[in-house]
Each structure stands twice: as structure tokens, then as C-alpha cells.
Amino acid sequence: MTGFKSEFLATLCERGFIHQTSGDSALDELFRTETVTGYIGFDPTAASLHVGSLMQIMMLHWMQKTGHRPIALMGGGTGMIGDPSFKDEARKLQTVEGIQQNLAGIRRSFERYIRFGEGLNDAVMVDNADWLLDLNYVSFLRDVGRHFSVNRMLSFDSVKLRLDREQSLSFLEFNYMILQAYDFVELYRRFGCRLQMGGSDQWGNIVNGIDLGRRMDGAELFALTSPLLTTASGAKMGKTASGAIWLNADMLSPYDFWQYWRNTEDADVGRFLKLYTTLPMDEIARLEALGGSDINEAKKRLANEVTAMLHGREAADEAFETARKTFEEGSLAETLPTIEVPAASFESGIGLLSLLVSAGLAASNGEARRHVKGGAVRLNDESVSDERLVVGPQNLAKGVAKLSVGRKKHVLVRPVA
């Protein structure tokens, strides 16, 4: 459905967030006439979310900005199982301690995007461990499990894909969709939550929750999914050759985060400005229309805005200035990502290949060697062709050595006592 009358759905539709909704007209009327509570679940598989989750976080942001109440549901309970949707094999089971550590890291990301508090549309963060870990198994089977048809569960694409590939699907994983459906019922009972949002791969799980809410409480619940996003060249959002694009600054520096967006493919700039920034649509249209080398200005604006939302305007400005000095002036920007090495080791010299690996510019000595042979490695902006080079005090300038791979990856090496 297009032509939504409610501000929230109209905004999401205009900016490209909507893949599918249930009960379009009724959901639109609900948002037009009431303050709606909706949620998205996040499983704690790492100590930080990555860019792949940013679209969902922005949906919660727009929900609050248009006057409604978002819930960020932490999967402290379901995370002990792991979502099997469209996975070829079971996730590695996590310990309770590991899950709690991950949850603590994940929570930090949300405060930049949504406001928590006690007001009518202040966001709520809850953990499904609060109700899942104390369930009585027999009672749960009688009260909840009886509403699920195994025949229907086997028909879901996420399950069929695993079985069609003759990959094992454990009973533990099979329960995940029941628990997720039950989350929706609990959030309806506790907070009056009427909407669950998620990626399009979650449609079957969300519909399960809608059906369970109707059967158990006579509730009218709704679903809204976003498209699964890839770049114009088909790459999955949030992953690069050098690793995940984490949201937490202690796992990925604001500069590297800024660079990720600065390197956006030309065809993606307009779409990403709509999804990941709050810039007005007319300004996005102006930036999207830039052609030739001017498109780089739009990419810088994208990088600045996305980085400012997550890390603050000061961090975004610093990243921009670091990039300007590095790429446009060719000078040494001391705010580049830095690794510290023991001064004693540096005095005696460190092998170039080992240093490239330590700096995160290569995953292994073999990869570092290939970079050198390919002419991609530079030390203090001078090309290096000798893979046996030893880096030491003679390579310092202003107390650091600048190590580079390609045009866009730079790290400062700083000896410390």
C-alpha cells in the first residue's frame, strides 16, 4: 500500500523502509489515531551491533520522532538458542555470562537514536530473559504450544531452506519461532505493544506472533518488515573484506566508520541518505542528483551525517578533517587510527608483514605478503616492495610511522614505553 495517511508509515514508505505490512489500512488508521507501541528484537550474538542492524534502529528512531513509543527488545532469552532463520547450521550456543556481556555492549548503541524514559512516547528497553527463563515447560506447552501447527511451521521458508539442503534443524532451534511469537504476546500484555518490525526474513516469525496473540488474547496485532539490504554490487550491508562494520567505537573507530560510508558506491548514495540520515527529502534529492566528481560531496555528507548520529558531531568532524588531510593534502593526520607497540620491540625492529597484521591491515602474513607484491603497501607514503623490510626507529616521523595499504587504509604505528 502507498498513500499512507499516518506520519510514521508515510515517512517509512517515502524513505524506503517498507517491504511488507499486515492489515495496511487498519495499521495506518491505528498510527493516525493513537500513540502506538511497536518493537524490534535484537539477539546478542556479539558485543556490538553492526551496520546491518542500523536500518532497524532507524525505524525505531522514526517511530519515536513521529510521536509513538518504540521498544528495543534484547534477546537475553532467545539468544541462548539463536535464530535459525535462513542459516545453514545451528549457531554456536553462548554462555549466560557471554550473553550478558554482549547485551551491555549493545545497549550503548541505542541511546544515540532513541530517547529512553518514562514519558508517553519514551523508548523502553526490555530483555525477554525476564519472562522466558522462568517458564514452566509443561505449562508453556499446554498454554502456548497447543496453538502451533507443526505442518504450518514446516512450511515456512526459513525452515524449508534448511531441510531442503538436508541440513539438520535441532528441536532447540525449532522452538525459536514459538518463543519469538510468545515475546509478542508478552509485550502486548505488558506494554500494549501492537506492532512488531524486522527484516523481511522475519515475516514468518512475526506472523506467528500475530496469530498467537489473536488465539490467546483476542488481540489485533500487526507486522511491518523492511527489505533485506545489499549494496548496488550485491555485498551484504555491515560486512566488508576486512570485517564487520561495528557500531561501538571500541570495536571500530569513528574514523573507520566514517570511511565505510565515504566509500559508498555511487548508485547507493541516495538510497542510503534516505535510510540512514534524517536529512529532509528535498536536500537528499539535491545530493542524489549530483553527477561526476560532485557525487563525492554527497558521499562526504552521507558519511558526516551517519557518523554524527552514532558518534556525535565532533567525532564526525574529526573524521572528516582526518580524511581531508590524508587524502587531499597528503599530510600526516595524527587522528588516524593508531596502534601502540612496545618501544623495546620497535627499537630492535619489527618485520613489515607482522606489523601489517598487528595493524589490522592484513589478516595473515600471507595476505600481507600479497599486498606487498601487489604494490599496495606504503610506509610513510613511500611504496614498499621488500616483504623482508624491518620497521624501526629510522622510520619514525613526529614519533609515529604511517603504514598504508591501498589508497584508503592507513594506520599510525606509535612506540610506547
Side-chain angles (χ1 to χ4, degrees), residues 126-343:
V126 291
D127 186 346
N128 62 15
D130 293 347
W131 55 82
L132 292 182
L133 297 190
D134 293 328
L135 287 174
N136 178 290
Y137 186 59
V138 174
S139 296
F140 184 75
L141 288 179
R142 284 174 56 87
D143 297 340
V144 179
R146 67 189 179 91
H147 295 295
F148 286 82
S149 161
V150 171
N151 292 26
R152 184 165 179 265
M153 292 165 74
L154 288 171
S155 72
F156 288 134
D157 288 343
S158 58
V159 175
K160 285 174 62 179
L161 182 66
R162 177 82 72 87
L163 298 180
D164 289 346
R165 293 178 178 175
E166 298 183 357
Q167 301 283 350
S168 174
L169 180 70
S170 71
F171 180 70
L172 178 70
E173 293 176 283
F174 200 59
N175 274 269
Y176 185 94
M177 64 179 75
I178 300 177
L179 296 178
Q180 183 172 329
Y182 184 65
D183 283 344
F184 204 169
V185 174
E186 278 288 338
L187 292 173
Y188 169 72
R189 291 173 175 175
R190 294 173 182 234
F191 300 99
C193 181
R194 302 284 300 278
L195 172 68
Q196 183 181 354
M197 300 182 289
S200 59
D201 61 334
Q202 293 297 312
W203 179 258
N205 288 338
I206 298 174
V207 170
N208 267 337
I210 291 174
D211 189 51
L212 185 63
R214 178 180 57 79
R215 290 173 182 270
M216 294 187 71
D217 292 359
E220 185 182 18
L221 305 178
F222 298 92
L224 189 159
T225 60
S226 59
L228 291 181
L229 199 62
T230 59
T231 66
S233 61
K236 190 174 181 180
M237 286 295 293
K239 300 290 181 68
T240 68
S242 57
I245 304 302
W246 301 109
L247 301 186
N248 287 12
D250 59 348
M251 294 179 67
L252 185 79
S253 72
Y255 172 79
D256 286 331
F257 184 80
W258 188 94
Q259 275 293 335
Y260 172 78
W261 297 100
R262 170 62 181 84
N263 296 333
T264 293
E265 297 175 40
D266 292 1
D268 288 326
V269 174
R271 185 169 53 135
F272 288 178
L273 283 165
K274 293 172 189 174
L275 291 172
Y276 298 114
T277 80
T278 57
L279 289 175
M281 291 298 291
D282 56 352
E283 174 63 4
I284 292 174
R286 184 189 72 79
L287 292 167
E288 192 175 13
L290 295 175
S293 61
D294 289 341
I295 193 68
N296 289 320
E297 296 308 311
K299 292 181 182 182
K300 292 173 188 176
R301 185 73 182 279
L302 170 67
N304 287 345
E305 295 301 319
V306 180
T307 305
M309 279 199 81
L310 177 62
H311 295 298
R313 182 63 64 181
E314 184 177 343
D317 290 345
E318 184 176 278
F320 171 80
E321 186 62 16
T322 297
R324 188 186 67 79
K325 286 182 177 179
T326 302
F327 300 115
E328 296 177 16
E329 292 184 2
S331 60
L332 178 65
E334 295 187 8
T335 48
L336 280 170
T338 301
I339 64 161
E340 295 181 342
V341 298

Side-chain angles (χ1 to χ4, degrees), residues 30 174 346:
L30 185 69
F174 200 59
F346 199 80

